[in-house]
Each structure stands twice: as structure tokens, then as C-alpha cells.
Amino acid sequence: MILRRVWAVMGLGVAILAGTTLAFAGGGQGADSQAKLGFDVANMNKTCKPCDDFYKYVNGGWMKNNPIPAQYPAWGPGQIMFERTEARLHDILEAAAKTSAAAGSNEQKVGDYYASCMDTKAIDAKGLKPIDGDLQSIAAMHDGASLLETAARLQVNGTGVLFAYGSDQDFADSTQVIGEVRQGGLGLPDRDYYTRDDDKSKEIRKQYIEHMTKMFVLMGDAQDKAAAEAQTVLGIETSLAKASLNNVELRDPQKIYHMMSVADAQKLTPKWNWDTYFRAIGSAELSKMNVAQPEFFKAMDGLLTSVPMEDWKTYYRWQLIHRSARLLSDPFVQENFNFTGRVLEGTTEMRPRWRRCSAAVDDGLPEALGQMYVAKYFPPAAKARVLEMVHNLLAALHEDLKGLEWMSPETRKAAEEKLQAFALKIGYPDKWRDYSKLKIDRDSYAGNVFRATEFETARDLAKIGKAVDHAEWGMSPPTINAYYNPQLNEIVFPAGILQGVFFDPDRSDSYNYGAIGSVIGHEITHGFDDEGAQFDPKGNLKNWWTEKDLKNFGERGECIVKQFDGFEVEKGLHENGKLVEGESIADLGGLTISFAAFQKSIEGKPLGGKDANGFTPDQQFFVGYAAMAAMNLRPEYARLLANTDPHPLPEFRVNGPMSNMEAFRKAFGCKSGDAMVREGACKIW
Ligand SMILES: [Zn+2]
């Protein structure tokens, strides 16, 4: 499993369910129109006291005045920024589609990719044709060998049958890339959707059955047959789900690392021949690999015997249409949205085609489009300012470690070493991905998406057995997000997040430290959260803590787990403290470290007291953080996030950490007994 810890999953629904990795979308001017002051008091709800509910105090007005547009599951300043970024990508794409760029150039490829996506007339005329070949392969399956060959063929183009195979950095040897098989094969967002027994989950499964039935009918099956097929798929997926680890278990690196010889993996799955599979999918032959979830593969092997061939065909067909629907003619696009957009996220309208197509190019050709984006929109001055903040934050954590009373000198020394070894990536990659071998044309949108996915799969598999490439990026440059990767011990900030409500070179530093500074701190402290702390400075899964310190640290984490277990999302649904532990430790750590760095940065400088909004510099810091987290969410989407996302909901990401902070209490004069002053406050960093 690639363990990148991101800042946020804003737009997760659009992103994951609609199958693109980047998916906030956009065109608003909200971030630009913010007063030079850094914050517009019209966004506040002044009838709410800061010590009662700080999130509402800062954002109540904004939330009231910015209802969620019909096309979105959630709406906040981050989404508005994304709309603007997407409008910029759109400009680039429209221009590229109109010019006759040199054949084979990146400009030709992004232009044609976009144009093919916009050509709905051609897409509608083709109907199911783009997946004809795959459907025929499925229909021709007749034995274990053809079942395996077809799985490989489908996985290569992004169809998630049975499980996932790809490269990963070896947890035990951070210099090497290994092959890894992971649990998968589901059509719903998470294994819990299949196993939960509450009314809401049952209702979603019922709607999933209806959705699958409609899709089978659209593919030409009779109603009765389609309904039976949907039941068959749910049965197979439920068996796979029951054998899968849940999302809390998946956060534990020890639980997902089972390096074994291919011969041993073969004993685990006698019905599935790994050597044949590697050949079929175009991977180098392996002697050993990580079987991330052995119990899952054991169960899958059992199903290979117990499930009849006709049922496998049905399941494969479903997975294929589930992956391809949004690339096909309008009825498929509509029905796909009916379920993933309406049912799972509560969205009522589809985003305009040009937005979906802009996101699709960013997803398919991330570094070709990204290169064009930064050339036009990323000022080098922003990079220098952010770099300075990063260095100040690293220094602040270093300082913090020195004064940490619960950590022994031994562990502290190791932590300092890890901090020294941090790698930084800001803006965009030094070395761009080479797309020269990828063919993109205007003939078929689905053809382009499949080829781009195959290209990406081949690129990924080619890394297996080689040395780790430290120059690689895991996000496209326009992405409004950031991540820490414990395996490379690096923090990464794409150009997209270095703007607007996160970072504005024209406003006072107090707001910037509160916003982007806390994001930077968040990513840095991921290196020391319940998961990141298990990796050494070189990215090996290796303990560097003394037993006593680890116990101390664990107890402090428990405090966070308890606090977040207490937050209610809706009646009967609470945050899952264990699921959000790492992100919440990072939120509290990020704010703490950034506040310290901010204090350090203003040492000896005259501050000038309150700003025109009446906020002191310390208050501005906290307002800057809370404003960045403002968000309206549909209840369906809030439920989806609470069930699957390791980040707490935005209001808890503000009120949770701040109610633990003495600096916050002091800044707003909160008293013990106030809701924003937590009894038995959690303190880690
Ligand atoms: Zn995070």
C-alpha cells in the first residue's frame, strides 16, 4: 500500500467515485475577492461566541451565504479555488485543442484527449463499442486459465476485478521497489458498505442492486435476467468484502506487509497461478512479493472453486461497465451518476461536461497538463516564500522536540535525525514524466482513457525490481492538496495549494501561518503520527522508539481517539476515533508547530496590534486556519466521509484541535467550562 498522507479529501466523492484522482472543480472568484486584510468578517457568525463554537463563529456567515451548488457533494473555499484552477486548465485545454500542435507533442496529446472527451456526438454514436473486445473476452471465458488471463487484461485498463497488483517500496528495504498484491474487487466505496447491518446501509445496498440491474439492462439484458445478475454480483462482492481488512486495519503497516516467495504465495492460492498471471499482465517475473492481505487471497482462491463460471462472467461484466460507464454514451453516464452522484453523495446535478473533461485530462496526463499549468500560473516567488515557511516550521518542531517532557533523550535524538532527513518537494517535479510512447488521438475518448491507464500501469509495473526513484511525484501540480510520504520521508506541496485561502503573499503572515503553515505542519507531523512514527528516517518500517516512549505516545494518541469518538456526525453516527487518529494528531501537531513558528517569525518585529477587523495577530492565526476549513456538506456525503475518510469532518478539524490548545484559549480569552476548552486536553507535540 502506498502510504501517502494527504491534507484533505475535499471532493473525494467526485474524485474516487467518478474515477478521477483530482476532482475539485471550478470557477468562483471567492478567494480573490477576499479583502487584502486576509479575511472578510461577513463570513462570520458573530452571534456565536468564539469560545462556544469557533468553527461556526468564523464560518457561520459564509456557510449561510454559500449553499452547495447542485453539482457538488460539498462546498467550501477549497472547492472555489478548485473551480478557478479548473477554469485555468480549461483555458489551456481549449487552446491546445484548437491549435495544430506537432504530432506526438504533449500539447497535441492534452488537446486531443480533451477534444475526444468533449465530442459527445462521436461518443454517443459508439454506444458500447469501446468495450466490445473486453466483453467478448469475458463471454469466452471457460476455465481457470481464461479467468486469469481476462482478469489481467481488465486490470491493466483500470477495471478492478478481484484484486489489485502494482509496485510499492519495500517496507523492509526502502531502496527497493517490489511487486505487491492488495485486496480489491468491490463496486461500493468500502468493505463496510457490504457488512454493516443498519437501515441506511441496507437501503444503499438495495439501491446498488437497482443500479446494477439498470446497467445490465442498458447492456442489453432482459429485466429479469438483469435483476438476478445484480444479486449474483452482490453475492461475490460481499464474499470478497468479508475477507477484506477494514479501513482502520489498513492503516496499520504491520498488518499489510507479508513479504513471501512466489512459491509460498502459490501455496496460499493453489487455484491462481502467479507466474502465469505476471506474464499475462506484463510484469517481470518475481521471486518474492508482498501479499498485503493473505486472508483475502485465501478467500478469493476458495471462491475460484465455489463460484460457477457463468457467475464470474456476470461479475466481470459488472466491473467492466462500472469502470467504463462514464466513458460511454449518455445513458451509461446518466445511470452511473444516478448512483455514484445521487445515492452515494447526495449530489443532484452532474457537473458540466467541460469540467469533467478537464479533470479527466488532469487524471490521464497529469504531468503533461501540469507542466503547461505551472508555466503559466505558478510564480517562482510563491515557491520561495513557502520554502521559507517550511524551514521555519521544521525549526519549530526541532525546538519543540527539545522541550518535550514525555520523550526520552534517546528517542528524541532519533526523531531529530528523522526531521533532518526530511525531503521537500514544492510546486512541481524537477523531472517530468515522458509520454512519448503514449498514443493519444481524437478517434475515441474511451480509447484514450484506456491507453493512458495502460501506459500508467506499464510504467508502474516497470519499476518493480528496480531502485526507488526519489524524484517521483504522487500528485499532479494543479492539485489543491499536499501529502507526506513516510516511505520517502518527504513532504510534497503541489503548486495548486499555494494560493487563495491557503496562501496569499499579499496578506499578513499571521493568516498564512494559520492556513498553509498549519497544512505544512500537518504534513510534517505525519512523519510522527501513529503510522508515520513506525518508519525510520530512510523510510524503513523499523521501530526507533524506546518502549516507554512508544507507550507514552500511544496513550496520548488514545486521548485523541476518545475525543473524536465523541463527535457526532448525525444521530447514531459518530466519528470513528481510531480511523481519524493519524489525521487528528497531524491537525493538532500542525497547528501547534505552525503557531510556534509564527511566534518565532515575529520575534523583534513591531506587530501593530489589532487589524481593521479587530483581530490580534494571534487571533488572525486561528481565524486563518478555521476559514480554510469552511465547508457545507450534504448529509449523504458527510456520512460517506465519516465511514471511509481518515480525516474528520471540517468542523471537528477546527474545534477538535483548538479546544486542546492553550494558545487558542489565551488568544480568545476562553475560560474553563467553555465548549472550546477541553477538560483533560490532549497534548502531543
Ligand atoms: Zn493528513
Side-chain angles (χ1 to χ4, degrees):
M1 310 286 282
I2 310 289
L3 300 173
R4 289 184 194 114
R5 286 301 156 220
V6 305
W7 156 253
V9 187
M10 295 175 295
L12 167 130
V14 200
I16 292 184
L17 302 177
T20 68
T21 51
L22 184 141
F24 330 72
Q29 299 303 314
D32 276 350
S33 66
Q34 272 187 0
K36 267 245 147 70
L37 280 169
F39 179 71
D40 186 349
V41 286
N43 292 341
M44 301 174 68
N45 175 352
K46 286 187 174 167
T47 62
C48 179
K49 291 202 187 70
C51 300
D52 287 346
D53 182 340
F54 192 66
Y55 178 77
K56 201 164 144 200
Y57 166 72
V58 174
N59 298 318
W62 189 94
M63 292 173 74
K64 196 165 147 250
N65 297 325
N66 291 274
I68 309 171
Q71 306 95 338
Y72 291 92
W75 191 245
Q79 278 71 20
I80 292 174
M81 274 169 67
F82 184 75
E83 286 231 320
R84 187 181 58 177
T85 299
E86 202 167 57
R88 288 171 168 179
L89 295 178
H90 178 235
D91 286 348
I92 294 172
L93 290 166
E94 283 285 344
K98 278 190 194 105
T99 51
S100 43
S105 66
N106 277 351
E107 199 178 14
Q108 173 262 314
K109 284 172 192 172
V110 303
D112 284 357
Y113 203 109
Y114 176 75
S116 71
C117 177
M118 290 301 288
D119 189 356
T120 48
K121 223 173 123 200
I123 292 169
D124 287 344
K126 285 194 180 84
L128 267 179
K129 240 192 223 111
I131 60 168
D132 253 2
D134 288 329
L135 285 171
Q136 279 167 23
S137 296
I138 294 170
M141 296 195 306
H142 57 279
D143 59 6
S146 50
L147 194 80
L148 182 151
E149 297 278 347
T150 309
R153 171 182 175 143
L154 293 174
Q155 287 171 354
V156 162
N157 75 24
T159 301
V161 283
L162 297 174
F163 63 91
Y165 171 58
S167 80
D168 194 3
Q169 187 176 314
D170 190 348
F171 280 5
D173 176 2
S174 63
T175 65
Q176 290 303 309
V177 182
I178 54 166
E180 174 178 274
V181 289
R182 310 162 196 131
Q183 68 185 38
L186 308 181
L188 287 168
D190 185 80
R191 57 92 70 193
D192 286 357
Y193 278 77
Y194 297 87
T195 56
R196 285 212 174 121
D197 233 12
D198 56 286
D199 289 348
K200 198 68 218 170
S201 302
K202 284 184 196 156
E203 174 64 23
I204 288 177
R205 285 198 291 273
K206 194 176 140 253
Q207 286 171 299
Y208 183 46
I209 289 276
E210 286 164 12
H211 166 58
M212 288 193 281
T213 305
K214 282 184 196 151
M215 281 294 199
F216 281 120
V217 168
L218 283 176
M219 284 199 284
D221 298 351
Q223 179 71 31
D224 285 4
K225 183 167 180 253
E229 286 169 329
Q231 293 290 351
T232 298
V233 174
L234 188 70
I236 293 175
E237 290 185 355
T238 304
S239 302
L240 292 172
K242 283 185 177 155
S244 298
L245 295 187
N246 68 32
N247 50 18
V248 171
E249 293 165 322
L250 288 174
R251 292 191 66 256
D252 182 348
Q254 305 285 357
K255 287 209 168 94
I256 53 172
Y257 185 66
H258 307 278
M259 203 62 179
M260 59 180 83
S261 67
V262 172
D264 281 346
Q266 200 52 69
K267 281 179 210 148
L268 208 60
T269 60
K271 289 270 176 294
W272 189 267
N273 188 299
W274 289 107
D275 286 332
T276 312
Y277 171 76
F278 293 139
R279 262 194 305 279
I281 201 165
S283 167
E285 272 197 37
L286 309 180
S287 57
K288 55 179 188 168
M289 63 177 178
N290 180 30
V291 179
Q293 299 89 6
E295 290 305 315
F296 173 86
F297 285 92
K298 234 191 263 176
M300 181 192 92
D301 195 70
L303 292 176
L304 293 175
T305 315
S306 64
V307 173
M309 182 55 72
E310 281 314 303
D311 291 358
W312 281 124
K313 290 182 185 177
T314 301
Y315 166 75
Y316 275 39
R317 279 176 79 219
W318 161 248
Q319 285 290 330
L320 176 63
I321 198 67
H322 184 54
R323 183 267 182 274
S324 318
R326 67 184 191 282
L327 314 175
L328 302 176
S329 56
D330 193 56
F332 290 97
V333 174
Q334 294 293 343
E335 180 48 34
N336 184 55
F337 175 76
N338 268 340
F339 186 70
T340 55
R342 285 203 174 89
V343 173
L344 291 180
E345 299 177 349
T347 310
T348 52
E349 253 177 48
M350 227 183 290
R351 302 194 312 140
R353 182 101 196 157
W354 70 264
R355 289 198 185 282
R356 285 179 277 141
C357 289
S358 301
V361 186
D362 181 66
D363 187 45
L365 302 168
E367 293 197 6
L369 180 57
Q371 199 171 353
M372 293 159 85
Y373 172 83
V374 295
K376 209 166 166 191
Y377 294 110
F378 187 57
K383 184 167 177 166
R385 275 284 288 280
V386 171
L387 202 57
E388 186 194 322
M389 291 180 79
V390 173
H391 285 300
N392 289 349
L393 269 124
L394 288 170
L397 181 54
H398 194 249
E399 208 42 47
D400 178 89
L401 286 172
K402 277 196 223 159
L404 223 51
E405 82 276 6
W406 60 268
M407 193 181 262
S408 71
E410 226 177 317
T411 304
R412 178 173 307 135
K413 195 167 157 271
E416 281 170 356
E417 271 167 31
K418 179 157 180 172
L419 202 55
Q420 298 289 348
F422 259 62
L424 311 176
K425 289 177 180 169
I426 293 178
Y428 52 88
D430 293 330
K431 186 181 84 183
W432 294 98
R433 206 165 286 172
D434 176 8
Y435 291 101
S436 54
K437 292 214 172 77
L438 171 62
K439 182 177 160 263
I440 299 293
D441 57 33
R442 296 198 182 200
D443 289 349
S444 160
Y445 172 50
N448 283 336
V449 174
F450 287 141
R451 276 195 305 277
T453 311
E454 283 158 20
F455 174 84
E456 188 45 45
T457 306
R459 196 184 71 82
D460 181 59
L461 297 183
K463 293 190 277 189
I464 295 171
K466 303 214 174 90
V468 169
D469 176 6
H470 287 255
E472 227 187 326
W473 277 57
M475 275 179 185
S476 81
T479 306
I480 300 169
N481 215 331
Y483 67 88
Y484 169 74
N485 179 353
Q487 294 171 278
L488 292 176
N489 195 29
E490 65 175 8
I491 43 175
V492 184
F493 301 92
I497 198 172
L498 305 176
Q499 52 168 332
V501 71
F502 291 93
F503 173 72
D504 179 353
D506 290 335
R507 70 181 177 183
S508 111
D509 256 358
S510 42
Y511 286 106
N512 285 330
Y513 271 98
I516 193 76
S518 297
V519 176
I520 296 167
H522 173 105
E523 299 307 338
I524 291 174
T525 50
H526 266 315
F528 306 89
D529 72 12
D530 60 321
E531 182 183 78
Q534 300 181 47
F535 290 83
D536 75 6
K538 293 204 171 75
N540 294 304
L541 181 60
K542 197 169 147 197
N543 181 42
W544 46 272
W545 296 65
T546 65
E547 209 173 303
K548 185 161 163 268
D549 288 333
L550 203 56
K551 191 167 159 276
N552 262 329
F553 178 69
E555 280 166 6
R556 279 157 199 270
E558 275 309 309
C559 177
I560 295 279
V561 171
K562 236 185 247 151
Q563 180 185 16
F564 280 80
D565 274 340
F567 287 129
E568 193 178 49
V569 176
E570 62 180 14
K571 207 172 167 303
L573 178 65
H574 282 239
E575 289 282 3
N576 176 352
K578 206 62 204 157
L579 176 62
V580 302
E581 180 182 359
E583 294 300 334
S584 304
I585 292 177
D587 281 339
L588 177 57
L591 266 163
T592 305
I593 300 304
S594 189
F595 188 78
F598 169 56
Q599 296 300 313
K600 183 100 183 142
S601 77
I602 57 177
E603 253 173 31
K605 287 184 195 159
L607 268 179
K610 293 181 179 176
D611 66 10
N613 285 336
F615 293 128
T616 66
D618 287 2
Q619 289 174 337
Q620 291 164 30
F621 173 92
F622 289 106
V623 169
Y625 178 90
M628 148 183 98
M631 194 181 286
N632 282 311
L633 296 112
R634 295 183 193 282
E636 292 86 351
Y637 191 57
R639 202 175 296 130
L640 174 77
L641 292 183
N643 281 322
T644 59
D645 188 359
H647 301 82
L649 295 181
E651 63 172 301
F652 307 131
R653 294 188 74 174
V654 174
N655 292 349
M658 286 189 191
S659 61
N660 286 319
M661 290 176 72
E662 202 182 327
F664 172 79
R665 215 168 306 159
K666 280 191 183 152
F668 288 92
C670 303
K671 305 253 175 328
S672 116
D674 289 342
M676 288 298 298
V677 177
R678 187 174 149 77
E679 191 104 8
C682 309
K683 184 178 180 329
I684 298 172
W685 304 111

